[in-house]
Amino acid sequence: MTSSNSSGSTPLTLDTATFGTGCFWCTEAVFQELEGVVAVTSGYSGGHVKNPTYEEVCSKTTGHAECLNIVYDSSRISFDELLEVFWQVHDPTTLNRQGADVGTQYRSVIFYHNEEQKAKAEKYKAELDKSGAWDNPIVTTLEKFDVFYPAEAYHQNYYNNNSSQGYCQFVIRPKLEKFEKVFKNKLKKH
């Protein structure tokens, strides 16, 4: 998909990545900071219930994972670079859990949109497992993308809209600060 940027001069080459990294609040702000990322939407994917609500997803009966739908300009950031961030911003070795959040809705998952994304994710996962980057094996699942349901409006842009809230200060902010140090050369110029 190709479109023009806001000035209309340089064409954008848009693509989509969909990642589950546990609570979408925790990583939405991270992906929003990346140069080349056009939009990040929190939502649900991978389940069997159409148009689920947050409460339904939290009931652990929908099969959906909390995830991020990331639209990016592939001429400015690659899927490989997004995968690199994906592996760094959550623990891919804990089955259906991220920190205190427990349940299949918090699973580590890559919803691949095409065979190229699937192959890259498989390769990266195998290389990381082989490298011993983590003490435990990676349990991230690779699932074929089917449909994405945006979460309710209050979940969107959560950190930026609620940065003074305790959860944002004590859970999200430290993760964001660590990310900004590690990936400072990939951040948007403000």
Side-chain angles (χ1 to χ4, degrees):
M1 175 158 87
T2 304
S3 65
S4 295
N5 67 14
S6 58
S7 67
S9 59
T10 308
L12 300 175
T13 307
L14 299 181
D15 208 342
T16 303
T18 307
F19 298 143
T21 57
C23 171
F24 43 45
W25 293 350
C26 291
T27 53
E28 176 192 53
V30 166
F31 284 98
Q32 287 174 330
E33 292 283 316
L34 289 169
E35 185 66 41
V37 169
V38 177
V40 179
T41 306
S42 293
Y44 319 108
S45 196
H48 58 274
V49 174
K50 291 183 180 183
N51 298 308
T53 64
Y54 180 68
E55 289 74 22
E56 288 172 326
V57 172
C58 288
S59 75
K60 304 177 187 176
T61 60
T62 67
H64 286 293
E66 285 191 21
C67 59
L68 300 173
N69 210 49
I70 303 161
V71 176
Y72 63 100
D73 177 357
S74 61
S75 69
R76 296 172 62 209
I77 189 168
S78 67
F79 184 71
D80 296 81
E81 290 170 305
L82 292 173
L83 281 174
E84 183 181 351
V85 173
F86 168 82
W87 297 112
Q88 289 286 328
V89 297
H90 79 295
D91 183 349
T93 69
T94 54
L95 186 61
N96 300 327
R97 167 183 217 123
Q98 287 299 307
D101 295 329
V102 179
T104 56
Q105 73 271 28
Y106 299 116
R107 68 187 179 272
S108 174
V109 57
I110 297 168
F111 293 101
Y112 59 90
H113 289 253
N114 54 50
E115 289 303 311
E116 181 182 5
Q117 285 186 355
K118 180 182 180 185
K120 287 180 178 191
E122 285 174 337
K123 181 177 184 263
Y124 212 127
K125 179 180 173 181
E127 287 175 359
L128 282 172
D129 245 345
K130 187 177 176 183
S131 76
W134 284 275
D135 292 336
N136 297 310
I138 294 171
V139 297
T140 301
T141 60
L142 305 180
E143 301 176 26
K144 184 169 178 32
F145 178 84
D146 181 31
V147 64
F148 174 82
Y149 298 103
E152 295 80 353
Y154 70 93
H155 291 297
Q156 308 303 329
N157 204 27
Y158 192 83
Y159 176 78
N160 293 321
N161 291 335
N162 300 281
S163 59
S164 61
Q165 183 200 59
Y167 185 83
C168 291
Q169 288 295 309
F170 297 109
V171 177
I172 301 173
R173 183 72 215 155
K175 186 178 286 232
L176 191 55
E177 287 172 350
K178 179 181 175 187
F179 163 78
E180 289 170 345
K181 287 177 188 171
V182 174
F183 291 96
K184 63 183 165 210
N185 63 332
K186 296 190 186 309
L187 300 179
K188 290 179 180 172
K189 315 294 184 265
H190 296 281

